[in-house]
């Protein structure tokens, strides 16, 4: 009798989950009691070889990822994915207005880049900037609150979707291509100050045809600026496919005299290795380098573009099923014993909760006070009067 | 009541008489107001040399300051403004750029965002149109869009407005274009002291400043006081200067035409008309209070500028006067003297009639005062 009782007791104590929900399959019970010591610390992965331009050697085709790194990349990419989908939802509810360019599908780009550079390095990108804003340290809550135009937003509601900034992150730029010369200028400052920092200047396949980018290539090469020019090629510049916009779609070669690499932008490890390679190239004083990341956006160009008039639903579906960056990482981790599906699901739940909380804050935070309308026109300036819509309405400008 | 006040004002004694200074040929001497300052240590300095000194002093003072533009280094500057600076400071501080305005203006703005203090030269402001997106959208607006997180301490400088015989594409005045935009500061020096003090102030300012120089003034010598020769001499941005006191009419101008106003004033003084000449010095933020105070004294206003009339600096001054306390003191509508509303022609006689001449200012004064 006692033995039977003890047996029942031990079974109950061992797996309370199983006792509570008898409908759960047996394998679940086993995993719930699995120890984290059962996972591998790291694993080695084969990654796609990069196409090279004016380079004898490229990034390594194998790389080691630790369990810790994998979990971090997974959580970060999943956070960006959830955040962008939440933004989609809020936009459709008309809580977010104006322009909203979503990054879902391209998560491996910003996460892979951030994994290979330092917080003291610099990043500047165009308007599809929410992912980078997050990886450069701005919490989801401040990003969503900026999108909803409230005072708790990372730019206090002054900037909106296209104008988010952080330390060593210069936006968020609305004029296509203008951020590329800015990035080279930041790189010039890096070289000037001599602290071995570099700048990542990102642009899209559409922007790649801007004249100012070629002017920048020339000066960056001439002056050996430590700038990595990153073309996020997601195959469409708004509604125009690359074939219809560019006489040469080999964006990694468009720097001509600047060496270049073409990278699988859906694989976070590939992006990481390529960025490490490119960063080393710049830091060693060799000058600029071009990196083309082949990636894909699930959403249309912006929230006002359904994204299916210039591409097929089948194409979108195919990328989702075969090349999704988060799925790729998840499969890699599970298949190499770096994490369990449950553990990753727990991360999903945590991310979902964080996003929900952030959205809740973003929808309830008050709008910026009208008194602050004219603040920050100038930097470090004593207050002055600003004319309103008529001569009797005056605002005070603070800094 | 208003009529009585107006009559009384006319009967009031005239203000302090300033001995008129002769203006021979192209040499313009700086007019003094009030008591004569000790002229012992004052020297003659051209606007070019004043700008050169300002650049030299600021490059020395702050190692984050650097100069870039076409021909600024080894050529000593297209107009020799940066003469000797590359030799003294080297490649890191004085940078020759290729002919890529949009590119190098953007690079300069990015450098400013990352903590340097660039001086970006446009060979003339006509070429700044190629880069105007970087000046407005990247430089002027970033502090606001980032809610004060990112400042852009940059100076864009170069010759602006009409030159001599360079025709339509090289003669446009951009004071109204840049003056339109919040987030920018826009200065327009006339004398050597203006040039030096304003450039130093612009470089030390943490905001994007557009400095509109004038090519025809570069070679003109002005008296520079001992105070202005100091390495710490700066002129506050946003403050106008009364170049000559007067009581009958206010002439407001900026850049080269301040000299024309002073010439007109000295001719008119012989006929008993005392003009007050205000040198705006700054286009944005505009010192409208100085103009208002003057109008409350003289009751008449003429604005004088080289740019086109439509949506110009003078139009803005007139609009603001309408809106402010000085309107009630005007005894006649405000009048503008501007460039002729035409792309700049080449032939000398046509060009001469496309910019305000001294006779045009005198004519306008007499019309306004009905003399």
């Amino acid at each position: 009798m006692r033995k039977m009782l003890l047996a029942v007791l031990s079974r109950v104590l061992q797996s309370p989950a199983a006792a509570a929900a008898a409908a759960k399959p047996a394998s679940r019970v086993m995993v719930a009691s699995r120890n984290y010591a059962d996972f591998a610390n790291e694993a080695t992965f084969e990654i796609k070889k990069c196409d090279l331009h004016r380079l004898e050697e490229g990034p390594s085709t194998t790389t080691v990822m630790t369990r810790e790194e994998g979990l971090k990349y997974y959580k970060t990419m999943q956070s960006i994915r959830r955040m962008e989908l939440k933004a989609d939802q809020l936009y459709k509810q008309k809580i977010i207005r104006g322009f909203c360019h979503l990054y879902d599908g391209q998560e491996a780009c910003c996460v892979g880049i951030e994994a290979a550079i330092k917080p003291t390095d610099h990043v500047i990108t165009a308007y599809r900037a929410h992912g980078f804003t997050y990886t450069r340290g701005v919490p989801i809550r401040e990003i969503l609150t900026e999108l909803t135009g409230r005072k708790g937003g990372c730019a206090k509601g002054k900037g909106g979707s296209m104008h988010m900034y952080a330390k060593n992150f210069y936006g968020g730029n609305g004029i296509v291509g203008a951020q590329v010369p800015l990035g080279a200028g930041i790189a010039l400052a890096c070289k000037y100050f001599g602290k071995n920092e570099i700048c990542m200047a990102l642009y899209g396949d559409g922007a790649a045809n801007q004249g100012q980018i070629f002017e920048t290539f020339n000066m960056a090469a001439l002056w050996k600026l430590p700038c990595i020019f990153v073309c996020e090629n997601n195959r469409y510049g708004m509604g125009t496919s690359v074939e219809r916009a560019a006489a040469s779609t080999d964006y990694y070669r468009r720097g001509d005299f600047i060496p270049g690499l073409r990278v699988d932008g859906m694989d976070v490890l590939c992006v990481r290795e390529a960025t490490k390679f490119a960063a080393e190239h710049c830091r060693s004083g060799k000058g600029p380098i071009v990196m083309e990341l082949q990636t894909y956006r699930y959403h249309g160009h912006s929230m006002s573009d359904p994204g299916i008039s210039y591409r097929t639903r089948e194409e979108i579906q195919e990328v989702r099923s075969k090349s999704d960056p988060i799925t790729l990482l998840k499969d890699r981790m599970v298949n190499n014993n770096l994490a369990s599906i449950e553990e990753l699901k727990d991360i999903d739940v945590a991310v979902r909760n964080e996003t929900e909380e952030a959205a809740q804050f973003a929808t309830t935070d008050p709008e910026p006070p009208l008194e602050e309308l004219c603040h920050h026109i100038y930097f470090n300036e004593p207050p002055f009067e600003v004319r309103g819509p008529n001569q009797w309405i005056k605002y005070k400008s603070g800094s | 009541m208003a009529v009585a006040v107006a009559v009384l004002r006319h009967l009031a004694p005239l203000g302090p008489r300033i001995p008129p200074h002769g203006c021979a040929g192209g040499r313009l001497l700086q007019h003094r107001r009030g008591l004569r300052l000790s002229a012992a240590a004052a020297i003659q300095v051209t606007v070019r040399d004043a700008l050169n000194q300002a650049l030299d002093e600021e490059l020395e003072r702050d190692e984050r300051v650097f100069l870039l533009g076409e021909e600024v280094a080894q050529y000593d500057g297209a107009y020799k403004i940066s003469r000797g600076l590359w030799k003294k400071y080297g490649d890191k501080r004085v940078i020759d750029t290729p002919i890529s305005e949009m590119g190098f203006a953007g690079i300069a703005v990015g450098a400013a965002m990352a903590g340097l203090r660039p001086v970006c030269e446009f060979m003339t402001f006509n070429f700044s149109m190629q880069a105007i997106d970087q000046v407005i959208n990247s430089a002027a607006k970033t502090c606001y869009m980032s809610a004060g997180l990112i400042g852009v301490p940059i100076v864009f400088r170069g010759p602006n407005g009409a030159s001599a015989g360079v025709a339509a594409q090289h003669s446009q005045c951009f004071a109204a274009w840049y003056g339109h935009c919040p987030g920018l500061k826009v200065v327009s020096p006339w004398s050597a002291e203006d040039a030096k003090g304003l450039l130093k102030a612009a470089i030390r300012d943490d905001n994007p400043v557009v400095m509109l120089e004038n090519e025809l003034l570069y070679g003109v010598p002005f008296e520079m006081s001992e105070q202005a020769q100091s390495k710490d001499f700066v002129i506050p941005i946003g403050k106008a200067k009364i170049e000559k006191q007067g009581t009958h009419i206010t002439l407001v101008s900026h850049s080269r035409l301040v000299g024309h106003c002073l010439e007109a004033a000295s001719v008119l003084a012989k006929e008993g008309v005392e003009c007050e000449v205000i040198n705006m010095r700054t286009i944005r933020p505009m010192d409208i209070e100085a103009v208002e105070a003057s109008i409350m004294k003289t009751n008449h206003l003429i604005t004088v500028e080289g740019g086109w009339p439509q949506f110009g600096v003078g139009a803005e001054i007139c609009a603001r006067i309408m809106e402010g306390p000085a309107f009630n003191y005007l005894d006649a509508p405000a009048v503008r003297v501007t460039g002729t509303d035409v792309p700049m022609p080449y032939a000398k006689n046509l060009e001469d009639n496309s910019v305000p001449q001294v006779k045009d200012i005198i004519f306008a004064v007499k019309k306004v005062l009905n003399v």
Side-chain angles (χ1 to χ4, degrees), chain B residues 44-51 192 217-222 224:
Chain B
Q44 291 285 312
V45 180
T46 61
V47 171
R48 172 181 291 113
D49 289 342
L51 291 169
L217 285 174
Y218 283 155
V220 176
F222 288 84
M224 191 181 274

Side-chain angles (χ1 to χ4, degrees), chain A residues 247-261:
Chain A
S248 163
T249 55
D250 290 338
Y251 296 101
Y252 71 112
R253 289 174 185 265
R254 300 277 295 272
D256 190 2
F257 35 78
I258 298 181
L261 343 152

Side-chain angles (χ1 to χ4, degrees), chain A residues 98-399:
Chain A
F99 287 135
C100 192
H101 308 87
L102 298 177
Y103 200 70
D104 52 313
Q106 299 186 209
E107 294 88 352
C109 296
C110 63
V111 174
I113 284 174
E114 193 64 36
I117 61 174
K118 306 177 197 158
T120 47
D121 289 324
H122 307 260
V123 175
I124 187 170
T125 186
Y127 48 77
R128 201 175 300 281
H130 307 160
F132 281 99
T133 311
Y134 182 69
T135 53
R136 285 263 104 188
V138 180
I140 296 180
R141 155 198 287 236
E142 284 182 39
I143 296 175
L144 287 180
T145 311
E146 184 61 33
L147 290 175
T148 56
R150 311 297 170 91
K151 67 179 179 48
C154 55
K156 303 188 180 150
K158 297 292 231 339
S161 170
M162 298 184 291
H163 308 297
M164 301 188 188
Y165 307 82
K167 186 164 200 306
N168 296 342
F169 176 58
Y170 305 81
N173 290 277
I175 307 296
V176 172
Q179 75 279 10
V180 177
L182 294 178
I186 295 163
L188 187 145
C190 289
K191 186 172 177 180
Y192 195 105
F193 285 126
K195 290 192 277 189
N196 204 24
E197 294 165 6
I198 59 170
C199 182
M200 314 284 309
L202 293 115
Y203 57 100
D205 48 279
N209 300 314
Q210 273 267 312
Q212 56 186 319
I213 292 186
F214 295 95
E215 292 187 13
T216 307
F217 284 162
N218 181 40
M219 286 182 272
L222 209 51
W223 301 333
K224 289 201 160 34
L225 301 180
C227 193
I228 303 177
F229 296 108
V230 185
C231 178
E232 284 181 297
N233 176 7
N234 60 19
R235 306 195 210 169
Y236 301 92
M238 201 153 150
T240 307
S241 69
V242 294
E243 296 77 36
R244 292 203 304 124
S248 163
T249 55
D250 290 338
Y251 296 101
Y252 71 112
R253 289 174 185 265
R254 300 277 295 272
D256 190 2
F257 35 78
I258 298 181
L261 343 152
R262 182 158 55 191
V263 181
D264 179 2
M266 304 306 266
D267 178 355
V268 67
L269 295 179
C270 210
V271 175
R272 184 183 76 172
E273 283 316 298
T275 308
K276 272 191 198 158
F277 177 89
E280 171 54 37
H281 175 100
C282 284
R283 280 190 235 275
S284 65
K286 297 198 182 97
I289 187 167
V290 174
M291 210 166 75
E292 176 189 340
L293 303 178
Q294 293 187 303
T295 182
Y296 200 83
R297 53 167 163 79
Y298 295 142
H299 269 85
H301 163 71
S302 71
M303 285 305 298
S304 50
D305 169 26
I308 45 168
S309 61
Y310 48 86
R311 52 186 193 172
T312 60
R313 281 188 221 266
E314 288 72 44
E315 179 189 283
I316 305 172
Q317 202 32 51
E318 186 172 358
V319 175
R320 249 193 229 279
S321 57
K322 297 214 179 103
S323 321
D324 183 275
I326 299 176
T327 310
L328 280 175
L329 179 63
K330 178 164 85 169
D331 289 346
R332 270 194 171 138
M333 291 188 71
V334 169
N335 295 341
N336 288 274
N337 200 26
L338 290 176
S340 69
I341 293 184
E342 271 62 29
E343 187 179 13
L344 297 179
K345 278 220 164 73
D346 285 344
I347 294 178
D348 292 348
V349 169
V351 165
R352 221 175 269 263
N353 288 338
E354 187 188 345
T355 311
E356 274 313 310
E357 246 182 73
Q360 183 56 24
F361 180 80
T363 47
T364 53
D365 199 36
E367 285 186 311
L370 194 55
E371 297 77 55
E372 289 180 18
L373 170 64
C374 293
H375 284 197
H376 305 302
I377 292 177
Y378 290 134
F379 191 87
N380 198 19
E381 184 85 0
F384 60 97
E385 237 171 34
V386 179
R387 191 178 195 275
N390 62 44
Q391 70 206 59
W392 297 281
I393 299 175
K394 296 215 189 289
Y395 291 99
K396 200 100 189 241
S397 166
S399 269

